[in-house]
Amino acid sequence: EQARSLELLERVTAAAPNFAPAWAELAMRRVVCLRRFDRDRFPGLTAAAAAAAAETALRLDPGLGLPYQALSYLKPFAAYAEREALHRRALTAAPHNPEVLNLAGQFLAEVGRLAEALALACQAAELDPLYWPAAQWRAGLLGALGRHDEARALWDKALADWPEVEALAAEAIADAANAGDWARLDRLIDTSRRHGHVNARFMAFAAAQQGRRDPRPEMLQAHRERIAVRF
């Protein structure tokens, strides 16, 4: 899926080289592929190519926010001040863009500023009720803040609105495990199966969440090891 998205964006920018939003999305897609996936899957893709796409987008339209965020993800993880400065520039340029708000919130959550991240997620969800990543992030942050009753209601709505989105199903299951609500977790897994989320990776994730109900130290250690391998 990532490779296909990257290919399509490369084709769009080649066909419409002055279309700034396509360059911005290409920059972010290149960054995502570099940061989250094995480099062997994307031979020839470099950080310089991602930066060049972001800079092209900004040259064509300085009012875009996403290119600044693509550049922020190219910074070293611990370069917090530089990364935040780029997210702030993105928010200044595009304060009403749900994707920009969501990405800025993710940075804030990384550095422990969950309440600020939640405020941005709420803004994003209100600006575009059809943008499911904002709904996902808002519910997830509420759970992280221990506000499980509020999170549960939002997960239920999100799953009803977007039953086909596997990422929502997975995070709702994890939230139920975090809350220790095992009956709900089992129901969510059953519902996910009915919606066709039965691939090996998803089922392994669901089984790992089910395993968290066993408090024995060896089971908790096994869960930690699975997380370490995943990340």
Side-chain angles (χ1 to χ4, degrees):
E1 182 181 341
Q2 294 295 333
R4 178 61 173 159
S5 297
L6 190 61
E7 177 192 353
L8 290 172
L9 285 164
E10 298 278 8
R11 288 167 59 185
V12 170
T13 53
N18 293 319
F19 185 46
W23 283 105
E25 290 293 343
L26 177 59
M28 185 57 72
R29 192 56 45 200
R30 284 175 173 173
V31 168
V32 168
C33 291
L34 285 168
R35 289 180 67 94
R36 297 185 183 175
F37 299 98
D38 192 325
R39 296 291 177 91
D40 293 340
R41 290 180 56 185
F42 305 97
L45 183 57
T46 64
E55 289 158 4
T56 298
L58 289 172
R59 176 175 54 79
L60 292 169
D61 185 353
L64 292 175
L66 194 61
Y68 292 113
Q69 293 174 305
L71 292 171
S72 80
Y73 285 122
L74 292 173
K75 297 291 183 184
F77 184 81
Y80 301 119
E82 292 178 71
R83 292 169 62 206
E84 181 170 4
L86 286 164
H87 280 290
R88 292 296 173 196
R89 291 184 74 177
L91 288 169
T92 297
H96 304 299
N97 183 311
E99 186 176 9
V100 168
L101 290 164
N102 227 38
L103 291 171
Q106 289 177 25
F107 166 76
L108 290 170
E110 285 178 14
V111 296
R113 292 155 63 179
L114 298 185
E116 292 175 70
L118 177 59
L120 292 181
C122 289
Q123 280 183 257
E126 288 165 8
L127 282 166
D128 188 354
L130 299 180
Y131 182 55
W132 68 259
Q136 176 188 31
W137 194 234
R138 179 171 59 171
L141 285 165
L142 284 167
L145 288 164
R147 295 161 61 177
H148 293 294
D149 289 342
E150 295 169 78
R152 190 180 301 115
L154 290 176
W155 283 125
D156 288 345
K157 184 178 187 311
L159 293 172
D161 289 344
W162 300 283
E164 76 285 359
V165 178
E166 188 175 287
L168 288 173
E171 288 213 26
I173 288 168
D175 180 75
N178 292 339
D181 191 341
W182 307 116
R184 175 177 170 78
L185 180 145
D186 291 337
R187 288 196 303 274
L188 289 171
I189 291 174
D190 288 342
T191 301
S192 297
R193 287 196 186 100
R194 291 199 298 274
H195 287 303
H197 305 314
V198 293
N199 65 75
R201 181 178 178 180
F202 182 88
M203 296 313 297
F205 174 82
Q209 298 305 311
Q210 285 180 311
R212 292 174 61 191
R213 75 182 72 195
D214 188 333
R216 288 178 298 166
E218 59 268 29
M219 297 302 293
L220 295 175
Q221 181 58 32
H223 179 68
R224 294 190 190 99
E225 290 171 1
R226 282 192 291 268
I227 294 295
V229 169
R230 185 179 174 199
F231 292 101

